[in-house]
């Protein structure tokens, strides 16, 4: 096993650990350790809410999830020899739940998926699903099942939802300016158009005093993906992947976290992957001058691993850029993907699952989402592919009609969601 460079004790909060990570992006957050080029390391990672979500049959914790606290990131790590303009090479050697542990922390044999309430971030289908719901998944080997969504079992596609390098001061200023300008167009929107810097609940490594206050007032939230990588939620960052990150500050300052046992394309419920704590083993190296040499001046490029689940039979649904009210939109691929997912939800509901159960499943299972046609004015076409092998019943259309499943207790809904 590689050296554990960032250990976490499952019985302690993220801020009470031997090393303190962070939950904001800023170039002045001190590195917790130095990684040598050409070496491999194990990094423990905490579930993104640091244990605020529990293994029960209520979604009140999803409704009240403390968004100001996310993400609980391991790092930043200084990479020996990395300088602005280089490309950082990160090989994902292994990634998984907390080894050999069972307990109350997500990652100790279980994980969760949540539909976020409109007032707390919302989801991809927030207009159709404005309230909070939750599903808990139990891990057995590489597979998972849920008491909240009976009748399905699938192999996990384990990956880090978030990994990236620190922004330069100039890049950080650019982020805050453009996102602030967007917020100003509709400052009272629910959910908000973007998340501005927020000192409340900021975790900034070893910073204290006036320096902490300064950085907390400037640091960017970790919710969106940006030029540095960040919260991209790419389910194909599996074991065996190689990622090339732009380097903007001396040492690169690599951070990671937000591990998922599985996820469908888009993480469509916002808390859409099966969230968990766990570990990731990485190997690091540097391509000197790689940003200019390969034209990778922003946003990572990557080579996906070959270790995802192998499903060979699919049922696919398509959608176009026409609203539910029948309004035509011009080549709106985002809308087309929403419509494809809604079609899949309506279809699965015919088999006995509630629409909330179907939505949670599509956020957690390794569905494939694709923009299939983006040039045929006025309609974009998007498609979503469901692996048919994950279902206990045959979901393919037939003359016999939809087989009926027992939906069990259903997906818990938050009490008093309004």
């Amino acid at each position: 096993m590689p050296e554990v460079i960032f250990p976490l004790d499952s019985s302690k909060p993220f801020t009470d650990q031997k090393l303190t990570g962070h939950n904001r992006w800023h170039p002045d957050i001190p590195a917790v350790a130095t990684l040598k080029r050409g070496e491999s390391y194990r990094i423990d990672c905490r579930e993104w809410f640091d244990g605020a979500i529990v293994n029960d049959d209520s979604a009140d914790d999803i409704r009240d999830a403390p968004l100001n606290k996310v993400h609980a990131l391991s790092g930043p790590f200084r990479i020996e020899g990395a300088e602005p303009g280089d490309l950082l090479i990160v090989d994902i050697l292994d990634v998984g739940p907390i080894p050999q542990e069972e307990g109350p922390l997500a990652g100790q044999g279980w994980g969760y998926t949540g539909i976020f309430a409109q007032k707390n971030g919302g989801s991809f289908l927030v207009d159709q699903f404005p309230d909070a719901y939750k599903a808990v998944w139990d891990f057995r080997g590489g597979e998972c099942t849920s008491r909240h969504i009976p009748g399905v079992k699938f192999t996990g596609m384990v990956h880090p939802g978030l990994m990236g390098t620190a922004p330069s001061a100039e890049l950080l200023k650019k982020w805050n300016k453009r996102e602030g300008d967007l917020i100003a167009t509709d400052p009272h929107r629910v959910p908000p158009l973007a998340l501005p810097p927020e000192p409340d609940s900021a975790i900034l490594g070893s910073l204290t005093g006036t320096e902490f206050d300064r950085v907390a007032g400037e640091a960017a939230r970790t919710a969106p993906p940006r030029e540095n990588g960040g919260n991209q939620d790419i389910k194909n960052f599996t074991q065996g992947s190689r990622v090339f990150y732009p380097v903007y500050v001396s040492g690169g300052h690599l951070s990671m976290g937000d591990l998922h046992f599985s996820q469908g394309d888009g993480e469509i419920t916002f808390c859409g992957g099966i969230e968990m704590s766990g570990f990731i083993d990485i190997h690091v190296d540097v391509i000197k001058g790689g940003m200019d040499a390969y034209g990778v001046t922003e946003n990572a490029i990557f080579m996906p691993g070959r270790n995802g689940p192998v499903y060979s039979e699919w049922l696919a649904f398509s959608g176009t850029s026409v609203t539910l009210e029948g309004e035509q939109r011009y080549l709106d691929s985002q809308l087309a993907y929403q419509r494809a997912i809604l079609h899949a939800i309506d279809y699965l509901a015919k088999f006995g699952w509630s629409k909330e159960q179907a939505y949670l499943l599509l956020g957690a299972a390794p569905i494939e989402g694709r923009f299939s046609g983006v040039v045929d004015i006025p309609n974009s076409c998007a498609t979503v592919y469901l692996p048919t092998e994950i279902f206990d019943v045959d979901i393919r259309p037939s003359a016999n009609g939809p087989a009926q499943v027992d939906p069990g207790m259903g997906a818990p809904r938050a009490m008093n969601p309004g």
Side-chain angles (χ1 to χ4, degrees):
M1 186 181 81
E3 175 189 358
V4 182
I5 198 73
F6 192 90
L8 290 174
D9 182 339
S10 299
S11 67
K12 297 179 179 179
F14 190 63
T15 51
D16 291 347
Q17 302 290 330
K18 179 180 178 181
L19 297 173
T20 303
H22 65 108
N23 64 357
R24 303 288 192 269
W25 291 118
H26 197 286
D28 295 338
I29 299 173
V32 296
T34 296
L35 309 185
K36 295 181 180 180
R37 294 174 59 180
E39 297 292 332
S40 301
Y41 300 90
R42 172 161 291 191
I43 296 164
D44 290 344
C45 296
R46 181 55 55 87
E47 171 265 325
W48 71 315
F49 278 121
D50 190 24
I53 311 303
V54 298
N55 186 349
D56 66 7
D57 300 325
S58 167
D60 289 0
D61 51 2
I62 294 290
R63 179 198 61 197
D64 303 328
L67 271 183
N68 285 355
K69 292 181 64 174
V70 300
H71 294 79
L73 298 182
S74 301
F77 302 100
R78 177 183 174 272
I79 312 302
E80 183 182 68
E83 295 295 337
D86 296 341
L87 279 181
L88 174 61
I89 306 173
V90 180
D91 289 313
I92 300 176
L93 306 179
D94 199 2
V95 57
I98 304 172
Q100 306 301 314
E101 287 189 16
E102 294 184 0
L105 181 66
Q108 293 181 310
W110 64 280
Y112 66 89
T113 303
I115 298 173
F116 262 43
Q118 184 173 27
K119 292 183 178 181
N120 198 24
S123 70
F124 190 55
L125 302 177
V126 65
D127 292 336
Q128 290 78 38
F129 297 89
D131 299 328
Y133 288 83
K134 182 172 76 178
V136 173
W137 301 88
D138 294 310
F139 307 154
R140 185 173 182 180
E143 294 184 321
C144 64
T145 57
S146 174
R147 64 183 182 271
H148 298 132
I149 311 175
V152 295
K153 178 172 67 174
F154 53 87
T155 302
M157 198 167 186
V158 185
H159 62 279
L162 193 156
M163 188 184 296
T165 52
S168 65
E170 294 76 20
L171 184 56
L172 175 62
K173 188 177 296 185
K174 181 187 296 185
W175 292 351
N176 287 338
K177 171 67 166 58
R178 72 190 184 200
E179 292 172 23
D181 289 346
L182 177 61
I183 293 170
T185 64
D186 191 357
H188 304 296
R189 183 179 185 270
V190 179
L193 290 170
L195 300 174
E198 174 54 73
D200 177 55
S201 300
I203 303 171
L204 305 173
S206 60
L207 287 181
T208 59
T210 57
E211 189 68 356
F212 180 99
D213 294 339
R214 177 187 67 84
V215 171
E218 300 171 351
R221 306 287 288 279
T222 58
R226 299 185 181 92
E227 289 90 331
N228 67 327
N231 193 31
Q232 294 181 292
D233 290 312
I234 299 171
K235 76 178 195 301
N236 302 93
F237 275 14
T238 57
Q239 180 188 45
S241 295
R242 169 170 285 189
V243 194
F244 302 85
Y245 287 105
V247 175
Y248 299 106
V249 301
S250 181
H253 283 209
L254 176 72
S255 301
M256 64 206 69
D258 189 29
L259 300 187
H260 298 157
F261 187 82
S262 179
Q263 182 200 293
D265 275 336
E267 199 184 24
I268 55 177
T269 69
F270 184 28
C271 185
I274 300 179
E275 307 284 349
M276 67 176 192
S277 302
F279 75 93
I280 182 169
D281 294 345
I282 63 169
H283 178 279
V284 295
D285 211 332
V286 174
I287 299 176
K288 302 301 294 181
M291 288 175 66
D292 284 341
Y294 290 98
V296 184
T297 56
E298 59 182 40
N299 301 113
I301 59 175
F302 73 102
M303 301 163 60
R306 301 175 180 174
N307 290 282
V310 178
Y311 292 113
S312 58
E313 296 183 3
W314 306 80
L315 185 63
F317 299 82
S318 62
T320 57
S321 48
V322 178
T323 70
L324 288 170
E325 295 72 33
E327 178 188 351
Q328 180 70 63
R329 299 282 179 84
Y330 178 77
L331 296 182
D332 187 338
S333 295
Q334 182 94 344
L335 173 60
Y337 192 45
Q338 289 179 326
R339 293 303 306 273
I341 291 169
L342 286 168
H343 292 153
I345 290 171
D346 289 343
Y347 183 88
L348 291 176
K350 296 294 186 180
F351 291 79
W353 291 290
S354 72
K355 291 187 177 182
E356 290 77 19
Q357 287 176 310
Y359 188 20
L360 286 160
L361 173 63
L362 296 179
I367 65 169
E368 298 283 346
R370 303 175 189 175
F371 288 165
S372 302
V374 295
V375 297
D376 298 314
I377 60 172
N379 269 330
S380 286
C381 177
T383 46
V384 58
Y385 293 66
L386 279 60
T388 57
E389 295 110 309
I390 73 174
F391 297 95
D392 289 351
V393 299
D394 187 350
I395 66 164
R396 296 172 299 179
S398 74
N400 297 324
Q404 294 301 295
V405 300
D406 180 356
M409 71 174 68
R413 176 176 180 261
M415 299 297 291
N416 303 316

